[in-house]
Amino acid sequence: DRDQDQAMVAGREPMHFHYKVSADSAGKVGGLDLSVDMDPGWFLGDAVRELSSAMASSDNCYKFQHFVARRNVATTHTPHATTMRAPGKMQAILASDVIMEHVARATGMPLDQVQERNMYALGDTTPIGDQLGREGFNWTVPKLWKQIKDSAKFEERKAEVKRFNASNKWMKRGIAMSAAKFGVDLSGYAVGAMVAARDDGSVQVSFGGADLGTGVDVKATQ
């Protein structure tokens, strides 16, 4: 349970993203100069891996023509923040959409159009060398984005939000979409399971997963 996890630890590692981004009037980004500062608390712990994960995900679903990223970690007199699920990636993904929102505001374009305009295409190569569409790195985000946008009637709901906000001075609504690119090493996640069906009708399932609050034990039982 995420609430219990957050109560028992100091939460996710605070990360500060400082950036400079260029974009044309059509909302197409050019270059990104990114600096990531991390505060792990009073000792480093797993800071190097967390920062490496954040750096590898800081482009998220968006292609920059020029991409430069730097990292820095500094201990502080605060409780240590430990690893959570998707360590470093959640912060980086959030930061990437903040950048897209900045571009949208600067150009006066809708955020979802800026996001779509800058998404990777099949065959593109990420800053860390992953080629989308090869060696297990499938790329279905643009297709899924369109499917979800259509099935959720996003454009209709966005128009309704605009009408509501125009007629209400104090109460406002908002609607947005967000996508995430998460690289998974197929060799590292190739785990097996053994199912033993006994004469008395009982079944024993042994597998290589570790439940870190994700409910994998429950899913195996089901």
Side-chain angles (χ1 to χ4, degrees):
D1 183 270
R2 293 277 73 84
D3 292 336
Q4 293 177 352
D5 286 348
Q6 292 282 9
M8 289 186 290
V9 299
R12 289 189 181 274
E13 310 85 347
M15 292 186 182
H16 300 272
F17 292 80
H18 310 275
Y19 65 89
K20 293 180 181 179
V21 63
S22 63
D24 60 23
S25 59
K28 185 72 172 178
V29 295
L32 176 66
D33 188 316
L34 181 69
S35 177
V36 185
D37 298 328
M38 174 183 168
D39 172 13
W42 68 276
F43 70 98
L44 291 176
D46 205 15
V48 173
R49 189 174 74 92
E50 311 299 328
L51 266 176
S52 297
S53 179
M55 299 293 282
S57 302
S58 54
D59 60 322
N60 194 19
C61 298
Y62 311 116
K63 181 179 180 180
F64 297 90
Q65 300 303 319
H66 305 282
F67 184 92
V68 177
R70 291 172 293 274
R71 61 186 180 183
N72 180 55
V73 59
T75 56
T76 58
H77 295 295
T78 57
H80 179 65
T82 190
T83 299
M84 302 289 292
R85 296 299 297 174
K89 294 183 180 294
M90 296 300 294
Q91 297 95 317
I93 290 170
L94 175 61
S96 72
D97 274 339
V98 169
I99 294 171
M100 289 297 116
E101 184 179 20
H102 192 163
V103 172
R105 289 178 179 274
T107 58
M109 295 182 59
L111 172 58
D112 58 293
Q113 290 184 20
V114 173
Q115 291 170 301
E116 292 169 6
R117 189 155 296 178
N118 291 290
M119 282 186 179
Y120 281 115
L122 196 64
D124 283 340
T125 301
T126 71
I128 62 173
D130 295 335
Q131 186 172 357
L132 302 178
R134 293 186 59 185
E135 299 178 356
F137 294 102
N138 63 322
W139 186 242
T140 57
V141 169
K143 178 181 179 181
L144 293 173
W145 179 277
K146 185 180 184 307
Q147 289 178 353
I148 293 172
K149 197 172 186 179
D150 292 342
S151 63
K153 299 181 179 179
F154 181 81
E155 293 297 338
E156 296 177 26
R157 294 164 68 181
K158 187 168 68 172
E160 178 58 33
V161 166
K162 186 176 181 179
R163 286 192 294 269
F164 179 89
N165 291 341
S167 59
N168 288 272
K169 182 177 181 179
W170 305 112
M171 185 178 295
K172 301 296 181 181
R173 293 175 178 172
I175 185 171
M177 291 179 63
S178 182
K181 170 172 63 64
F182 195 102
V184 176
D185 183 354
L186 297 181
S187 62
Y189 285 81
V191 294
M194 182 179 69
V195 180
R198 307 190 184 282
D199 293 339
D200 61 1
S202 62
V203 176
Q204 177 182 339
V205 180
S206 303
F207 61 98
D211 197 326
L212 301 175
T214 54
V216 65
D217 288 345
V218 175
K219 295 182 186 301
T221 302
Q222 292 173 336

